Amino acid sequence: MSLNPQAVFGLSLNELSNLADISVSSVSELPEKLPSSALIYIDGNAQFTRDRPLNGGGILIVNGNLVIHAGSNSSFTGIIYVAGNTSSNYHQQAPSFITGCLVVTGSELNIEGTGEVSEIDYDKNIIDTMKRRVGLYRRSTPLIKEVIQ
């Protein structure tokens, strides 16, 4: 099973970037408060910290590495897709909570929690909600394919 963007979303990264509600090249360009249901595209590595946590929801696509640093108190509800040119890596430190689905196409995935919780909770209902709210109105075919279920 392929995890490339075409297999997962039915679209290329370029098409996803063009369809995104928010499309940026760095975390510093994101709005201070992320929407609760949006397609967000980051073209490059993304690092979320105590000063800039990942709080919001929808579909987050990172065309690079994604790091959620310790102490960020990040909380995201939706689908996170991490992809890069040759490899992509995902690092999540406590406290942080991801509810929905995480897809990482690269070779390294670390989830760390020392004294606090760092977790990813798969939730099919959240995925279905994201399909309805973010994906279905963008094309005549579903944006999120069954590959991530």
Side-chain angles (χ1 to χ4, degrees), residues 57-121:
I59 299 174
L60 172 64
I61 298 169
V62 178
N63 188 18
N65 298 327
L66 174 57
V67 177
I68 299 173
H69 287 279
S72 71
N73 282 319
S74 291
S75 178
F76 189 86
T77 301
I79 298 165
I80 298 178
Y81 182 87
V82 183
N85 293 332
T86 57
S87 68
S88 61
N89 300 299
Y90 178 84
H91 300 277
Q92 179 180 334
Q93 297 175 314
S96 55
F97 301 92
I98 307 300
T99 304
C101 180
L102 171 68
V103 178
V104 179
T105 64
S107 58
E108 188 176 332
L109 184 138
N110 280 325
I111 301 170
E112 302 171 14
T114 305
E116 297 195 49
V117 176
S118 180
E119 69 181 51
I120 300 171
D121 291 326

Side-chain angles (χ1 to χ4, degrees), residues 44-56:
N45 296 331
Q47 294 191 35
F48 292 93
T49 64
R50 180 184 312 265
D51 294 331
R52 185 59 172 100
L54 174 59
N55 290 323

